[in-house]
Amino acid sequence: MDQASTAQPHKSKCQGFRQPLSELELSMHVKSCDRILVLRAQSGEHSAFNALVRRYRHCVMKLSTRYTRNRAAAEDAVQNTFLKAYWGLQLSRGDAAFYSWLYRIAVNSAKTVLLLRARDARVFMPDTRNDVSMER
């Protein structure tokens, strides 16, 4: 597949469609849009954070599903990811691209969900040793 067929057309505000963006231009455009949304969200604009959630929810869900192999657990991990991102956004220095930062949060959230579910399975497992001793 050549670059021209994978590039997305870009609509200018003043003119109609212009030449399709290259992969590099498209990547830079997405990063700058993310940076603007992050800055707006850091200043308290909830709709900017909601736009980031809409943009990345599907990617985070796919990542979480790969880790947990369970839709309900993945949904918990996605919710935790965006909660941590929301509260952590104020502390973010912006050194990394938003998705790189979000990706790391998502991986850690998925691992945490797995650990908690494994712990809960051990804690709430019926103790069959007591059942045998009670029969005697």
Side-chain angles (χ1 to χ4, degrees), residues 50-69:
N50 290 341
L52 289 166
V53 171
R54 282 191 304 275
R55 178 176 287 173
Y56 291 110
R57 188 180 199 302
H58 180 71
C59 296
V60 171
M61 183 63 180
K62 281 176 55 176
L63 175 66
S64 299
T65 302
R66 277 197 315 263
Y67 267 87
T68 62
R69 295 188 175 140

PDB file of all heavy atoms in Angstrom, residues 50-69:
ATOM      1  N   ASN A  50     -13.648  15.115  27.751  1.00  0.00           N
ATOM      2  CA  ASN A  50     -14.616  14.206  27.128  1.00  0.00           C
ATOM      3  C   ASN A  50     -14.234  13.891  25.683  1.00  0.00           C
ATOM      4  O   ASN A  50     -14.405  12.759  25.226  1.00  0.00           O
ATOM      5  CB  ASN A  50     -16.025  14.799  27.178  1.00  0.00           C
ATOM      6  CG  ASN A  50     -16.587  14.817  28.583  1.00  0.00           C
ATOM      7  OD1 ASN A  50     -16.121  14.102  29.463  1.00  0.00           O
ATOM      8  ND2 ASN A  50     -17.582  15.657  28.802  1.00  0.00           N
ATOM      9  N   ALA A  51     -13.700  14.879  24.978  1.00  0.00           N
ATOM     10  CA  ALA A  51     -13.246  14.648  23.598  1.00  0.00           C
ATOM     11  C   ALA A  51     -12.076  13.669  23.570  1.00  0.00           C
ATOM     12  O   ALA A  51     -12.001  12.798  22.685  1.00  0.00           O
ATOM     13  CB  ALA A  51     -12.850  15.973  22.946  1.00  0.00           C
ATOM     14  N   LEU A  52     -11.169  13.770  24.532  1.00  0.00           N
ATOM     15  CA  LEU A  52     -10.055  12.818  24.618  1.00  0.00           C
ATOM     16  C   LEU A  52     -10.567  11.413  24.929  1.00  0.00           C
ATOM     17  O   LEU A  52     -10.084  10.428  24.369  1.00  0.00           O
ATOM     18  CB  LEU A  52      -9.051  13.269  25.689  1.00  0.00           C
ATOM     19  CG  LEU A  52      -8.226  14.503  25.337  1.00  0.00           C
ATOM     20  CD1 LEU A  52      -7.533  15.045  26.584  1.00  0.00           C
ATOM     21  CD2 LEU A  52      -7.213  14.189  24.248  1.00  0.00           C
ATOM     22  N   VAL A  53     -11.558  11.313  25.808  1.00  0.00           N
ATOM     23  CA  VAL A  53     -12.145  10.010  26.130  1.00  0.00           C
ATOM     24  C   VAL A  53     -12.775   9.403  24.886  1.00  0.00           C
ATOM     25  O   VAL A  53     -12.544   8.231  24.567  1.00  0.00           O
ATOM     26  CB  VAL A  53     -13.188  10.118  27.270  1.00  0.00           C
ATOM     27  CG1 VAL A  53     -13.954   8.816  27.444  1.00  0.00           C
ATOM     28  CG2 VAL A  53     -12.512  10.528  28.566  1.00  0.00           C
ATOM     29  N   ARG A  54     -13.563  10.202  24.157  1.00  0.00           N
ATOM     30  CA  ARG A  54     -14.192   9.694  22.934  1.00  0.00           C
ATOM     31  C   ARG A  54     -13.146   9.251  21.913  1.00  0.00           C
ATOM     32  O   ARG A  54     -13.315   8.241  21.245  1.00  0.00           O
ATOM     33  CB  ARG A  54     -15.102  10.757  22.312  1.00  0.00           C
ATOM     34  CG  ARG A  54     -16.439  10.891  23.012  1.00  0.00           C
ATOM     35  CD  ARG A  54     -17.401  11.757  22.225  1.00  0.00           C
ATOM     36  NE  ARG A  54     -16.875  13.087  21.943  1.00  0.00           N
ATOM     37  CZ  ARG A  54     -16.940  14.119  22.767  1.00  0.00           C
ATOM     38  NH1 ARG A  54     -17.508  13.989  23.936  1.00  0.00           N
ATOM     39  NH2 ARG A  54     -16.447  15.292  22.429  1.00  0.00           N
ATOM     40  N   ARG A  55     -12.058   9.979  21.824  1.00  0.00           N
ATOM     41  CA  ARG A  55     -11.024   9.676  20.840  1.00  0.00           C
ATOM     42  C   ARG A  55     -10.298   8.374  21.171  1.00  0.00           C
ATOM     43  O   ARG A  55      -9.959   7.608  20.281  1.00  0.00           O
ATOM     44  CB  ARG A  55     -10.011  10.822  20.766  1.00  0.00           C
ATOM     45  CG  ARG A  55      -8.880  10.550  19.780  1.00  0.00           C
ATOM     46  CD  ARG A  55      -7.966  11.717  19.647  1.00  0.00           C
ATOM     47  NE  ARG A  55      -8.650  12.762  18.893  1.00  0.00           N
ATOM     48  CZ  ARG A  55      -8.178  13.977  18.708  1.00  0.00           C
ATOM     49  NH1 ARG A  55      -7.017  14.324  19.220  1.00  0.00           N
ATOM     50  NH2 ARG A  55      -8.844  14.864  18.016  1.00  0.00           N
ATOM     51  N   TYR A  56     -10.060   8.103  22.449  1.00  0.00           N
ATOM     52  CA  TYR A  56      -9.204   6.978  22.826  1.00  0.00           C
ATOM     53  C   TYR A  56      -9.905   5.828  23.537  1.00  0.00           C
ATOM     54  O   TYR A  56      -9.270   4.816  23.820  1.00  0.00           O
ATOM     55  CB  TYR A  56      -8.035   7.488  23.689  1.00  0.00           C
ATOM     56  CG  TYR A  56      -7.089   8.322  22.874  1.00  0.00           C
ATOM     57  CD1 TYR A  56      -6.994   9.694  23.077  1.00  0.00           C
ATOM     58  CD2 TYR A  56      -6.318   7.750  21.872  1.00  0.00           C
ATOM     59  CE1 TYR A  56      -6.133  10.463  22.316  1.00  0.00           C
ATOM     60  CE2 TYR A  56      -5.465   8.512  21.103  1.00  0.00           C
ATOM     61  CZ  TYR A  56      -5.375   9.871  21.333  1.00  0.00           C
ATOM     62  OH  TYR A  56      -4.531  10.634  20.560  1.00  0.00           O
ATOM     63  N   ARG A  57     -11.188   5.927  23.795  1.00  0.00           N
ATOM     64  CA  ARG A  57     -11.885   4.877  24.537  1.00  0.00           C
ATOM     65  C   ARG A  57     -11.778   3.528  23.843  1.00  0.00           C
ATOM     66  O   ARG A  57     -11.505   2.512  24.475  1.00  0.00           O
ATOM     67  CB  ARG A  57     -13.349   5.235  24.754  1.00  0.00           C
ATOM     68  CG  ARG A  57     -14.039   4.256  25.674  1.00  0.00           C
ATOM     69  CD  ARG A  57     -15.493   4.575  25.930  1.00  0.00           C
ATOM     70  NE  ARG A  57     -16.030   3.938  27.085  1.00  0.00           N
ATOM     71  CZ  ARG A  57     -16.073   2.633  27.313  1.00  0.00           C
ATOM     72  NH1 ARG A  57     -15.539   1.812  26.463  1.00  0.00           N
ATOM     73  NH2 ARG A  57     -16.610   2.135  28.400  1.00  0.00           N
ATOM     74  N   HIS A  58     -11.976   3.501  22.552  1.00  0.00           N
ATOM     75  CA  HIS A  58     -11.938   2.237  21.810  1.00  0.00           C
ATOM     76  C   HIS A  58     -10.546   1.606  21.890  1.00  0.00           C
ATOM     77  O   HIS A  58     -10.420   0.395  22.120  1.00  0.00           O
ATOM     78  CB  HIS A  58     -12.357   2.464  20.356  1.00  0.00           C
ATOM     79  CG  HIS A  58     -12.344   1.218  19.537  1.00  0.00           C
ATOM     80  ND1 HIS A  58     -13.272   0.222  19.696  1.00  0.00           N
ATOM     81  CD2 HIS A  58     -11.491   0.792  18.576  1.00  0.00           C
ATOM     82  CE1 HIS A  58     -13.004  -0.757  18.864  1.00  0.00           C
ATOM     83  NE2 HIS A  58     -11.926  -0.443  18.169  1.00  0.00           N
ATOM     84  N   CYS A  59      -9.505   2.398  21.709  1.00  0.00           N
ATOM     85  CA  CYS A  59      -8.124   1.882  21.781  1.00  0.00           C
ATOM     86  C   CYS A  59      -7.818   1.336  23.164  1.00  0.00           C
ATOM     87  O   CYS A  59      -7.202   0.264  23.298  1.00  0.00           O
ATOM     88  CB  CYS A  59      -7.122   2.983  21.438  1.00  0.00           C
ATOM     89  SG  CYS A  59      -7.235   3.595  19.777  1.00  0.00           S
ATOM     90  N   VAL A  60      -8.244   2.055  24.193  1.00  0.00           N
ATOM     91  CA  VAL A  60      -7.990   1.622  25.565  1.00  0.00           C
ATOM     92  C   VAL A  60      -8.785   0.351  25.859  1.00  0.00           C
ATOM     93  O   VAL A  60      -8.286  -0.565  26.529  1.00  0.00           O
ATOM     94  CB  VAL A  60      -8.320   2.749  26.573  1.00  0.00           C
ATOM     95  CG1 VAL A  60      -8.269   2.255  28.011  1.00  0.00           C
ATOM     96  CG2 VAL A  60      -7.356   3.921  26.384  1.00  0.00           C
ATOM     97  N   MET A  61      -9.999   0.247  25.327  1.00  0.00           N
ATOM     98  CA  MET A  61     -10.810  -0.957  25.520  1.00  0.00           C
ATOM     99  C   MET A  61     -10.146  -2.168  24.864  1.00  0.00           C
ATOM    100  O   MET A  61     -10.091  -3.249  25.458  1.00  0.00           O
ATOM    101  CB  MET A  61     -12.221  -0.747  24.965  1.00  0.00           C
ATOM    102  CG  MET A  61     -13.145  -1.906  25.189  1.00  0.00           C
ATOM    103  SD  MET A  61     -13.428  -2.207  26.949  1.00  0.00           S
ATOM    104  CE  MET A  61     -14.530  -3.586  26.864  1.00  0.00           C
ATOM    105  N   LYS A  62      -9.637  -1.992  23.651  1.00  0.00           N
ATOM    106  CA  LYS A  62      -8.956  -3.099  22.970  1.00  0.00           C
ATOM    107  C   LYS A  62      -7.723  -3.541  23.754  1.00  0.00           C
ATOM    108  O   LYS A  62      -7.484  -4.739  23.934  1.00  0.00           O
ATOM    109  CB  LYS A  62      -8.554  -2.684  21.549  1.00  0.00           C
ATOM    110  CG  LYS A  62      -9.690  -2.729  20.560  1.00  0.00           C
ATOM    111  CD  LYS A  62      -9.311  -2.239  19.192  1.00  0.00           C
ATOM    112  CE  LYS A  62      -8.140  -2.952  18.595  1.00  0.00           C
ATOM    113  NZ  LYS A  62      -7.840  -2.531  17.225  1.00  0.00           N
ATOM    114  N   LEU A  63      -6.950  -2.598  24.218  1.00  0.00           N
ATOM    115  CA  LEU A  63      -5.752  -2.900  25.001  1.00  0.00           C
ATOM    116  C   LEU A  63      -6.117  -3.633  26.292  1.00  0.00           C
ATOM    117  O   LEU A  63      -5.515  -4.656  26.635  1.00  0.00           O
ATOM    118  CB  LEU A  63      -4.998  -1.605  25.321  1.00  0.00           C
ATOM    119  CG  LEU A  63      -3.792  -1.708  26.234  1.00  0.00           C
ATOM    120  CD1 LEU A  63      -2.682  -2.512  25.564  1.00  0.00           C
ATOM    121  CD2 LEU A  63      -3.293  -0.317  26.584  1.00  0.00           C
ATOM    122  N   SER A  64      -7.114  -3.137  26.995  1.00  0.00           N
ATOM    123  CA  SER A  64      -7.538  -3.740  28.254  1.00  0.00           C
ATOM    124  C   SER A  64      -8.093  -5.144  28.046  1.00  0.00           C
ATOM    125  O   SER A  64      -7.851  -6.049  28.857  1.00  0.00           O
ATOM    126  CB  SER A  64      -8.588  -2.863  28.941  1.00  0.00           C
ATOM    127  OG  SER A  64      -8.043  -1.597  29.230  1.00  0.00           O
ATOM    128  N   THR A  65      -8.809  -5.351  26.966  1.00  0.00           N
ATOM    129  CA  THR A  65      -9.362  -6.669  26.649  1.00  0.00           C
ATOM    130  C   THR A  65      -8.239  -7.666  26.360  1.00  0.00           C
ATOM    131  O   THR A  65      -8.325  -8.833  26.755  1.00  0.00           O
ATOM    132  CB  THR A  65     -10.335  -6.588  25.463  1.00  0.00           C
ATOM    133  OG1 THR A  65     -11.386  -5.662  25.788  1.00  0.00           O
ATOM    134  CG2 THR A  65     -10.958  -7.935  25.158  1.00  0.00           C
ATOM    135  N   ARG A  66      -7.201  -7.213  25.673  1.00  0.00           N
ATOM    136  CA  ARG A  66      -6.058  -8.103  25.411  1.00  0.00           C
ATOM    137  C   ARG A  66      -5.409  -8.548  26.715  1.00  0.00           C
ATOM    138  O   ARG A  66      -4.987  -9.689  26.844  1.00  0.00           O
ATOM    139  CB  ARG A  66      -5.017  -7.405  24.531  1.00  0.00           C
ATOM    140  CG  ARG A  66      -5.336  -7.463  23.067  1.00  0.00           C
ATOM    141  CD  ARG A  66      -4.125  -7.157  22.201  1.00  0.00           C
ATOM    142  NE  ARG A  66      -3.345  -6.017  22.613  1.00  0.00           N
ATOM    143  CZ  ARG A  66      -3.441  -4.794  22.111  1.00  0.00           C
ATOM    144  NH1 ARG A  66      -4.311  -4.552  21.163  1.00  0.00           N
ATOM    145  NH2 ARG A  66      -2.657  -3.832  22.533  1.00  0.00           N
ATOM    146  N   TYR A  67      -5.316  -7.659  27.681  1.00  0.00           N
ATOM    147  CA  TYR A  67      -4.687  -8.008  28.957  1.00  0.00           C
ATOM    148  C   TYR A  67      -5.587  -8.885  29.813  1.00  0.00           C
ATOM    149  O   TYR A  67      -5.139  -9.858  30.407  1.00  0.00           O
ATOM    150  CB  TYR A  67      -4.307  -6.745  29.750  1.00  0.00           C
ATOM    151  CG  TYR A  67      -2.906  -6.298  29.491  1.00  0.00           C
ATOM    152  CD1 TYR A  67      -2.616  -5.450  28.437  1.00  0.00           C
ATOM    153  CD2 TYR A  67      -1.855  -6.734  30.286  1.00  0.00           C
ATOM    154  CE1 TYR A  67      -1.323  -5.042  28.180  1.00  0.00           C
ATOM    155  CE2 TYR A  67      -0.553  -6.334  30.044  1.00  0.00           C
ATOM    156  CZ  TYR A  67      -0.295  -5.484  28.989  1.00  0.00           C
ATOM    157  OH  TYR A  67       0.984  -5.094  28.735  1.00  0.00           O
ATOM    158  N   THR A  68      -6.851  -8.516  29.929  1.00  0.00           N
ATOM    159  CA  THR A  68      -7.742  -9.198  30.872  1.00  0.00           C
ATOM    160  C   THR A  68      -8.458 -10.404  30.277  1.00  0.00           C
ATOM    161  O   THR A  68      -8.877 -11.281  31.026  1.00  0.00           O
ATOM    162  CB  THR A  68      -8.807  -8.222  31.400  1.00  0.00           C
ATOM    163  OG1 THR A  68      -9.614  -7.766  30.304  1.00  0.00           O
ATOM    164  CG2 THR A  68      -8.174  -7.035  32.110  1.00  0.00           C
ATOM    165  N   ARG A  69      -8.653 -10.402  28.977  1.00  0.00           N
ATOM    166  CA  ARG A  69      -9.391 -11.473  28.273  1.00  0.00           C
ATOM    167  C   ARG A  69     -10.792 -11.661  28.842  1.00  0.00           C
ATOM    168  O   ARG A  69     -11.328 -12.758  28.867  1.00  0.00           O
ATOM    169  CB  ARG A  69      -8.609 -12.779  28.313  1.00  0.00           C
ATOM    170  CG  ARG A  69      -7.322 -12.696  27.562  1.00  0.00           C
ATOM    171  CD  ARG A  69      -6.661 -14.023  27.436  1.00  0.00           C
ATOM    172  NE  ARG A  69      -5.484 -13.872  26.598  1.00  0.00           N
ATOM    173  CZ  ARG A  69      -4.343 -14.462  26.830  1.00  0.00           C
ATOM    174  NH1 ARG A  69      -4.227 -15.272  27.859  1.00  0.00           N
ATOM    175  NH2 ARG A  69      -3.328 -14.284  26.036  1.00  0.00           N
TER     176      ARG A  69
END
